[in-house]
Amino acid sequence: MESLITVLLKPGEGDRIVAGHPWIYHGEILRLTAPVVDGALVQVKDHRQRLLGVGFYNSRSKINVRILAPERVEVTEAFFEERIRTALAVRQRHMPGATSFRVVNAESDFLSGLIVDKYEDVLVVQISALGMDQRKAMIVAALQKIFTPRVILERSDVSSRKFEGLAESNGVISGELAGPVSVNLNGLKFETDLVGGHKTGMYLDQQANYQAVSEFAKGGQVLDCFSFLGGFGLHAARSGAAHVHFLDQSAEAIAASRRNAATNRLAEKCSFDAVNVFDWLKNNTAVKPHERVIPRFDLIVLDPPSFTRNRASVPDALRGYKEIHLRALKLLKPGGTLASFCCSHHVSADLFLDSLLSAAYDTRHILRRVALYGQSPDHPVIPMIPETEYLKGFAFEKVR
Ligand code: SAH
């Protein structure tokens, strides 16, 4: 094994690493035993010289070391192959029927800085750390060996790359891609633009919740807010909803969800509006002083984008959640269900729930909790790494 330069931590630092968290911040480091090239593999020791692990070093990032393993390992194609196969086995165990899913979810799979999504026979790779970026060829070779995919795409257009000293990088790594890919989720087909779509193409983290929430749709009038490609609404329509109305401010997303409804033979019970959800909810709950809003939905789904990227804007985000909760409660029939999601790591489940309860207080409604949701099992939560948990959701029935 090559000899590695040592990163020595200050006294008192290292417990988090021992517990399994992979990030070492600049301020925790006492010194390096020799200069290190950015991206190189280093070993990390505590101030008593005990080995804590090995990982990639990057002086330009706030996270100076991203730990890969608690023991000495050689980072080769075989190393990536083994890690990716282990991650794949987790998906096969917990989502046995799925053909499209996240294969590697960075820290959740002990590969900080690497995401790999599988959309049928197409793989999409997203790299957000320098050490991974320098080993892209090994990673791609391992993926070829495991999946023999038709296409491998790179979607490394995440803003966090600049904190690692990396430019954005997009394009076809292997194979050829012409047009959108038909992605199968729970037996429904979604036309997905993997080159220009959100994230790496779709919100795979909701796959299990699409199915779970659709159980509240039977026979009812459904409103899918922030519908994107129509995931929640189309599952609801298939599960026997009488009608589904889709709202998204992106005209392209609405056009794609319209095509998806037709492809899945559900178009008859679907209608669409390319609008700002806040405006639509406001317009549809506006009444004269002595009038009441007539509730008309049996199921309302709220799955907005993250309203906050940092801790400072959490109060604004909470006002946003309260606003949509308030208006959705007015439009929900008694006995109807509100399913609401929050994908911001900075907004805790408690704060998110508060935004609903305070809306229920203001509108004098009583709620009954009927389900709690998290991210699908292909985005595993490792409690030792709190950042791996971000998606929370719940369903409440309006008692009165
Ligand atoms: N529910 C979707 C994911 C939603 S992502 C799914 O499961 O796939 C957020 C979506 O909200 C995006 O499609 C974006 O276009 C839309 N959006 C963001 N802000 C909006 C707003 N104010 N009004 C309407 N749509 C909005």
Side-chain angles (χ1 to χ4, degrees):
M1 254 189 214
E2 58 173 325
S3 72
L4 298 179
I5 290 168
T6 303
V7 172
L8 272 178
L9 299 190
K10 292 177 182 167
E13 303 293 354
D15 285 353
R16 211 177 62 251
I17 305 304
V18 172
H21 198 288
W23 297 347
I24 294 173
Y25 292 102
H26 180 71
E28 296 164 347
I29 295 175
L30 182 65
R31 65 186 172 87
L32 311 181
T33 55
V36 185
V37 180
D38 283 336
L41 192 69
V42 293
Q43 56 181 355
V44 177
K45 294 184 173 177
D46 70 9
H47 78 290
R48 293 209 178 99
Q49 300 280 348
R50 282 179 298 212
L51 180 70
L52 299 179
V54 299
F56 295 138
Y57 182 82
N58 186 359
S59 66
R60 278 175 286 188
S61 172
K62 219 165 51 174
I63 302 169
N64 270 183
V65 184
R66 292 172 187 266
I67 296 286
L68 279 177
E71 68 285 322
R72 291 287 300 268
V73 289
E74 300 253 23
V75 181
T76 57
E77 184 189 318
F79 165 83
F80 285 110
E81 187 185 334
E82 200 262 331
R83 282 277 160 105
I84 297 167
R85 282 193 194 278
T86 302
L88 177 60
V90 173
R91 280 68 180 169
Q92 287 167 337
R93 197 158 64 240
H94 297 290
M95 311 175 71
T99 50
S100 291
F101 49 84
R102 179 155 291 189
V103 180
V104 172
N105 191 41
E107 283 78 10
S108 297
D109 294 294
F110 315 103
L111 288 168
S112 181
L114 177 66
I115 285 173
V116 181
D117 285 341
K118 175 181 182 301
Y119 293 98
E120 307 304 318
D121 55 0
V122 178
L123 294 180
V124 182
V125 176
Q126 184 169 83
I127 295 177
S128 59
L130 180 70
M132 286 292 168
D133 200 68
Q134 290 180 352
R135 290 156 184 90
K136 190 154 73 183
M138 279 181 201
I139 294 166
V140 168
L143 290 172
Q144 296 279 20
K145 196 159 164 201
I146 301 168
F147 296 95
T148 49
R150 181 167 64 88
V151 183
I152 301 183
L153 278 180
E154 179 170 14
R155 278 294 302 272
S156 299
D157 49 357
V158 280
S159 59
S160 57
R161 273 173 72 97
K162 66 172 180 281
F163 303 119
E164 293 272 324
L166 290 165
E168 294 192 354
S169 172
N170 287 319
V172 177
I173 294 178
S174 78
E176 262 177 59
L177 189 68
V181 173
S182 175
V183 174
N184 186 315
L185 300 182
N186 307 306
L188 286 172
K189 292 196 180 79
F190 293 86
E191 167 199 300
T192 306
D193 172 11
L194 297 181
V195 178
H198 291 227
K199 284 202 172 180
T200 65
M202 271 200 89
Y203 292 86
L204 292 169
D205 53 1
Q206 291 284 28
Q207 182 163 193
N209 298 332
Y210 291 152
Q211 191 68 37
V213 170
S214 75
E215 282 164 26
F216 300 114
K218 209 167 171 34
Q221 297 292 323
V222 178
L223 181 65
D224 181 355
C225 298
F226 309 95
S227 53
F228 190 40
L229 302 181
F232 281 104
L234 292 178
H235 281 75
R238 182 185 55 184
S239 293
H243 187 86
V244 184
H245 193 55
F246 297 78
L247 303 177
D248 198 289
Q249 72 182 7
S250 154
E252 283 137 67
I254 286 293
S257 50
R258 207 187 276 278
R259 289 193 292 273
N260 291 335
T263 307
N264 291 290
R265 300 177 185 284
L266 296 165
E268 272 175 31
K269 43 164 100 170
C270 297
S271 56
F272 304 84
D273 251 339
V275 287
N276 183 317
V277 167
F278 285 86
D279 295 342
W280 191 95
L281 288 174
K282 201 176 284 175
N283 293 337
N284 282 270
T285 50
V287 285
K288 299 206 183 79
H290 297 290
E291 288 176 2
R292 282 174 151 260
V293 178
I294 298 172
R296 54 198 167 98
F297 292 104
D298 300 282
L299 171 63
I300 299 180
V301 180
L302 300 172
D303 183 27
S306 172
F307 291 149
T308 166
R309 295 229 168 265
N310 53 49
R311 231 162 264 290
S313 57
V314 167
D316 284 341
L318 291 173
R319 271 191 290 279
Y321 289 119
K322 180 171 174 184
E323 158 96 12
I324 55 177
H325 283 146
L326 200 101
R327 299 196 187 271
L329 284 175
K330 290 183 181 174
L331 287 169
L332 195 64
K333 291 187 208 164
T337 307
L338 172 63
S340 183
F341 292 88
C342 168
C343 60
S344 169
H345 171 70
H346 300 290
V347 174
S348 69
D350 282 349
L351 284 178
F352 180 53
L353 179 60
D354 279 351
S355 75
L356 174 67
L357 297 187
S358 116
Y361 178 85
D362 288 2
T363 48
R364 304 293 188 266
H365 291 304
I366 302 287
L367 303 175
R368 177 190 296 121
R369 194 179 76 199
V370 290
L372 290 174
Y373 306 110
Q375 56 223 43
S376 289
D378 53 343
H379 294 61
V381 175
I382 308 290
M384 294 75 201
I385 314 173
E387 295 82 357
T388 58
E389 183 166 27
Y390 63 97
L391 183 66
K392 49 252 163 213
F394 42 60
F396 280 90
E397 271 172 14
K398 183 159 132 182
V399 178
R400 63 171 163 79

